[in-house]
Amino acid sequence: MPTKVLIIGKVWPEPGSSAAGSRMMQIIDLFQNEGWDITFVTAATHSQYAADLEAYGVQVESIKLNDSSFDAFLKRQNPNVVMFDRFMTEEQFGWRVRDNVPEAMTILDTEDLHFLREGRQTAWKEGRDFREEDLYSDMAKRELASIHRCDISLIISEFEMGVLKETFGVSSDKIVHVPFLLDAISENEINNWKPYGKREHFVSIGNFLHEPNWNAVLFLKEEIWHLIRERLPDAELHIYGAYPSQKVKQLHNESEGFMIKGRADDAKKVVEGSRVLLAPLRFGAGLKGKLIEAMQCGTPSVTTPIGAEAMHGKLIWPGAISDDPKDLADQAVELYTNEKRWHEAQCLGTDIINRLYQKELHGKRLIKRLIQTKLNLLGHRRHHFTGEILHYHTLGSARYMSKWIEAKNKDQ
């Protein structure tokens, strides 16, 4: 029986705007290489920056929230695999999938653990260290329930795999580690990188709809950049990111060399033309696309322990890691001015990409797990009966709330 995959997206994937968009395209590419037939649907408004999925051979549809038309769509489509893009999507549509195509294997792509990111953000706002009890939130209850209801969940970070298994007792055969799926950096690519002498300025990049990115820009503005400028008065910091708000644009100050640039037409070109990338993230989760892109462009980076978390294994970071503003500034200046150290960092980034993010290795492991689970789906669900209990109880409330909203909308 051919594999028909339905992906229910939280948003239309924008690989040029976010790491989540890039990851979605990597997974679509992996599934297509297996010959799987893919349909992508979302209730989100279409974006002019969204990937042209139809050009990739993916069928696309717009769907409605709280509307039984999706039930009819599921029955017509009759997928045997359904992937939810983040747990909120599974909460909204999971019960409809189970009602209409109960034998379809369900996959949750978490992107990152939202409850981990939220817990760290709460600790930062309260001016204290993150504690394990910060994990035990209402968002954790929702996200963990979604993980239990789905047959397989894709976890981007080995650190997050540990949190799920060791703190919350999630079974290893319910989750699979799937980092970014990348091609190796070739010698030809390395030879075509801009050399040290032809690069200038610092760069920071990240979608401003993502709170950790906005917070990192504030950290740069308030505590780090002036320390760098004291020693490099002609240096500039070019800050790129999709969807900058007015409060972001107000930080622009040419006399300080603090330049808000907005969306990058070509993020790779911007990063490759810069000498050092700055990413002082004070909270967050998952893997950081900006730091991956820096390695792919041969651009050393300065970040925090949160930024580098689970990204380099036991390999040396291609730049510097610190959470102290002065040390971050000192390391940034050293990388910017010391050509020998800059080249050493560049080589370390290549090593990390080529050893830890092999598309073929991680892709084959994921496909093998999915096929094995799909072949024994009934046994898998019986073995993890907690998920069935949650389908019965938790999604019952979602079902009736959605039906109530639909009925209310029809009365208006």
Side-chain angles (χ1 to χ4, degrees):
M1 182 179 180
T3 299
K4 294 180 64 177
V5 182
L6 175 66
I7 300 175
I8 308 176
K10 183 175 184 289
V11 294
W12 293 99
E14 295 184 24
S17 302
S18 70
S22 296
R23 175 174 169 80
M24 177 59 73
M25 297 307 296
Q26 292 163 12
I27 292 173
I28 286 173
D29 181 63
L30 176 67
F31 290 172
Q32 284 186 320
N33 287 341
E34 292 298 310
W36 296 358
D37 180 41
I38 302 173
T39 299
F40 185 95
V41 301
T42 180
T45 303
H46 197 273
S47 163
Q48 63 175 312
Y49 302 108
D52 185 356
L53 293 176
E54 290 179 296
Y56 285 88
V58 176
Q59 179 184 341
V60 299
E61 296 278 351
S62 291
I63 56 175
K64 295 180 180 178
L65 291 171
N66 305 307
D67 197 292
S68 56
S69 61
F70 186 64
D71 298 343
F73 172 82
L74 282 170
K75 290 174 180 175
R76 289 196 310 272
Q77 195 73 19
N78 194 29
N80 45 29
V81 176
V82 176
M83 187 173 86
F84 302 101
D85 172 23
R86 286 164 272 204
F87 79 91
M88 301 81 82
T89 306
E90 188 274 338
E91 286 181 330
Q92 181 68 42
F93 295 101
W95 68 270
R96 293 187 185 274
V97 169
R98 180 55 74 96
D99 278 359
N100 292 283
V101 284
E103 295 180 359
M105 179 177 69
T106 55
I107 304 167
L108 173 64
D109 184 20
T110 57
E111 296 293 352
D112 62 22
L113 289 182
H114 293 66
F115 70 85
L116 174 61
R117 173 158 32 101
E118 180 191 60
R120 286 172 167 168
Q121 183 172 349
T122 298
W124 178 81
K125 284 183 175 179
E126 294 177 0
R128 58 174 176 79
D129 290 338
F130 173 75
R131 302 187 294 258
E132 185 176 294
E133 51 260 42
D134 292 317
L135 295 172
Y136 294 88
S137 62
D138 287 345
M139 185 171 284
K141 295 171 188 174
R142 292 172 58 194
E143 194 162 16
L144 287 162
S146 184
I147 288 170
H148 281 294
R149 285 191 297 264
C150 290
D151 298 310
I152 292 287
S153 292
L154 314 185
I155 311 300
I156 200 169
S157 154
E158 286 187 322
F159 178 84
E160 294 179 1
M161 289 284 288
V163 168
L164 291 172
K165 289 192 287 188
E166 295 160 21
T167 304
F168 293 101
V170 177
S171 173
S172 295
D173 61 354
K174 286 280 286 183
I175 53 179
V176 56
H177 175 224
V178 186
F180 293 120
L181 306 173
L182 307 176
D183 292 315
I185 300 172
S186 68
E187 285 295 325
N188 185 57
E189 286 178 276
I190 293 170
N191 292 335
N192 285 320
W193 282 341
K194 272 192 178 182
Y196 171 88
K198 291 189 177 180
R199 298 185 185 221
E200 60 179 354
H201 303 313
F202 295 87
V203 67
S204 176
I205 191 165
N207 189 323
F208 285 110
L209 295 179
H210 191 55
E211 186 66 23
N213 293 334
W214 158 239
N215 183 269
V217 171
L218 280 180
F219 192 22
L220 283 165
K221 179 74 171 181
E222 295 169 355
E223 301 188 48
I224 300 170
W225 181 242
H226 71 93
L227 298 173
I228 295 174
R229 280 278 285 194
E230 286 173 4
R231 295 169 61 183
L232 299 173
D234 294 326
E236 295 177 0
L237 172 56
H238 294 180
I239 299 171
Y240 289 87
Y243 304 106
S245 64
Q246 191 58 38
K247 67 180 180 180
V248 174
K249 295 175 182 177
Q250 286 174 350
L251 298 181
H252 182 87
N253 190 316
E254 292 191 19
S255 66
E256 296 176 357
F258 199 89
M259 320 289 274
I260 304 296
K261 298 285 189 175
R263 179 184 291 273
D265 292 332
D266 187 335
K268 183 177 180 182
K269 185 176 180 180
V270 163
V271 174
E272 190 180 345
S274 305
R275 193 173 289 180
V276 176
L277 180 135
L278 303 178
L281 295 155
R282 291 186 282 195
F283 52 84
L287 302 182
K288 316 307 181 295
K290 60 181 72 59
L291 294 170
I292 288 289
E293 191 159 52
M295 296 181 214
Q296 291 176 309
C297 294
T299 305
S301 59
V302 176
T303 189
T304 58
I306 291 291
E309 180 180 86
M311 292 198 64
H312 59 116
K314 296 181 180 179
L315 303 177
I316 301 171
W317 186 257
I321 301 171
S322 178
D323 52 16
D324 176 72
K326 185 178 184 306
D327 191 36
L328 285 164
D330 289 345
Q331 296 288 350
V333 170
E334 173 69 11
L335 276 166
Y336 195 88
T337 57
N338 186 330
E339 185 173 357
K340 181 176 182 293
R341 186 178 171 198
W342 186 90
H343 279 294
E344 290 171 351
Q346 188 179 66
C347 293
L348 293 170
T350 301
D351 198 33
I352 290 170
I353 295 293
N354 290 355
R355 291 176 62 179
L356 302 184
Y357 296 91
Q358 300 172 51
K359 178 167 67 175
E360 186 174 351
L361 175 68
H362 294 290
K364 281 184 177 178
R365 182 163 47 81
L366 172 59
I367 294 299
K368 182 179 179 181
R369 281 285 301 275
L370 295 180
I371 291 173
Q372 287 175 339
T373 303
K374 190 165 174 282
L375 288 173
N376 184 38
L377 192 58
L378 182 59
H380 182 81
R381 288 176 175 174
R382 285 175 176 170
H383 186 65
H384 301 287
F385 202 65
T386 299
E388 300 304 293
I389 295 170
L390 289 170
H391 268 294
Y392 183 79
H393 288 286
T394 312
L395 286 189
S397 60
R399 175 188 291 108
Y400 292 115
M401 175 60 75
S402 182
K403 287 180 177 292
W404 178 80
I405 293 171
E406 183 178 8
K408 184 179 178 183
N409 289 340
K410 286 179 179 178
D411 289 339
Q412 292 177 348

